[in-house]
Amino acid sequence: DAGVIQSPRHEVTEMGQEVTLRCKPISGHNSLFWYRQTMMRGLELLIYFNNNVPIDDSGMPEDRFSAKMPNASFSTLKIQPSEPRDSAVYFCASSFTADRRSYNEQFFGPGTRLTVL
Amino acid sequence: QQPVQSPQAVILREGEDAVINCSSSKALYSVHWYRQKHGEAPVFLMILLKGGEQKGHEKISASFNEKKQQSSLYLTASQLSYSGTYFCGTEVRLTMIKAAGNKLTFGGGTRVLVKP
């Protein structure tokens, strides 16, 4: 298996522009997580899905952030409009979860390094 | 609430031991440990579940004290490859039986540097 795939790996954009990050989870996994990592705030969970349904989006910073999972093999995280403080590394992770219990490890993708100028 | 990790950083010589602690203010259902090398994604090390069950892949051990809501990761006879930042991820317990359902909250990390 290729592991979790994220694109793009690097994104540089100007303030006010729309940014879309993409993730393909490991085949067979039914949980998908979006994280943001910065030096100041560490590794934060933004939102996670189980069986394509958003379960908890309490970590989404504000309305400028939105995430979708239209099917089991694809998810997007969108920022519109982007701001300099959104600069961070965004990780997508997936796992297989039975009965909503996290007995299994999360596999992280390589991340997208976002820079908003 | 984010779990608290200590120490924030540790420097070791190859072959030395170290302990990394992770404390939560909430009742825990499970604790996950991950290691992240510079510029890379976090990689799974171990899960500790309530009741003492452990699942891990490497020669790194850990403990989970449910009553104290704490977990410790033990780096024994450290190798150069152990260098990196270690994160604990905690899953809280919503009821006596039910877990939070996959959601992990990560600590601030412990930077480990193993020197030759």
Side-chain angles (χ1 to χ4, degrees):
Chain A
D1 200 317
V4 176
I5 299 173
Q6 289 186 248
S7 65
R9 294 292 307 277
H10 301 273
E11 177 80 31
V12 180
T13 190
E14 292 187 346
M15 183 174 62
Q17 296 297 308
E18 177 180 296
V19 175
T20 300
L21 310 182
R22 297 173 176 80
C23 176
K24 177 179 169 55
I26 292 173
S27 177
H29 283 188
N30 59 355
S31 291
L32 184 140
F33 309 82
W34 282 102
Y35 292 93
R36 177 173 67 178
Q37 187 175 38
T38 62
M39 288 295 294
M40 290 299 295
R41 300 177 68 89
L43 192 59
E44 303 174 274
L45 176 66
L46 300 178
I47 185 172
Y48 78 96
F49 297 83
N50 182 256
N51 294 323
N52 311 338
V53 176
I55 303 300
D56 188 333
D57 65 354
S58 60
M60 295 287 262
E62 48 198 271
D63 292 344
R64 297 185 298 106
F65 285 69
S66 62
K68 294 182 180 180
M69 191 164 187
N71 56 62
S73 59
F74 183 66
S75 176
T76 59
L77 178 68
K78 185 177 293 186
I79 308 172
Q80 166 64 17
S82 57
E83 297 182 1
R85 60 189 168 126
D86 301 332
S87 297
V89 179
Y90 290 81
F91 287 106
C92 173
S94 72
S95 72
F96 175 75
T97 304
D99 301 323
R100 289 205 173 182
R101 292 183 176 183
S102 61
Y103 290 151
N104 295 320
E105 64 265 38
Q106 295 183 15
F107 293 83
F108 283 74
T112 295
R113 182 173 295 277
L114 173 65
T115 302
V116 184
L117 302 174
Chain B
Q1 278 68 19
Q2 188 180 47
V4 177
Q5 287 187 234
S6 63
Q8 289 187 321
V10 60
I11 299 176
L12 301 168
R13 291 287 180 189
E14 210 173 354
E16 290 182 341
D17 302 338
V19 180
I20 301 171
N21 299 303
C22 174
S23 297
S24 173
S25 60
K26 297 186 176 182
L28 298 179
Y29 190 85
S30 68
V31 179
H32 299 219
W33 285 96
Y34 289 77
R35 179 173 63 207
Q36 184 179 29
K37 293 187 180 286
H38 183 68
E40 300 180 5
V43 174
F44 167 81
L45 293 176
M46 181 170 292
I47 290 177
L48 299 105
L49 307 173
K50 73 180 184 70
E53 181 183 352
Q54 295 186 26
K55 292 172 58 177
H57 301 289
E58 294 192 13
K59 297 179 183 178
I60 295 175
S61 62
S63 64
F64 179 23
N65 187 322
E66 297 171 49
K67 288 185 178 180
K68 292 186 176 181
Q69 296 156 194
Q70 294 177 345
S71 178
S72 296
L73 187 73
Y74 304 97
L75 306 180
T76 305
S78 58
Q79 305 171 16
L80 296 178
S81 62
Y82 285 8
S83 293
T85 301
Y86 289 76
F87 293 95
C88 67
T90 56
E91 180 186 17
V92 299
R93 191 168 62 188
L94 298 178
T95 67
M96 288 301 294
I97 299 174
K98 187 176 180 181
N102 315 318
K103 178 178 179 177
L104 295 181
T105 303
F106 283 93
T110 297
R111 297 181 68 177
V112 173
L113 176 61
V114 181
K115 293 185 174 181

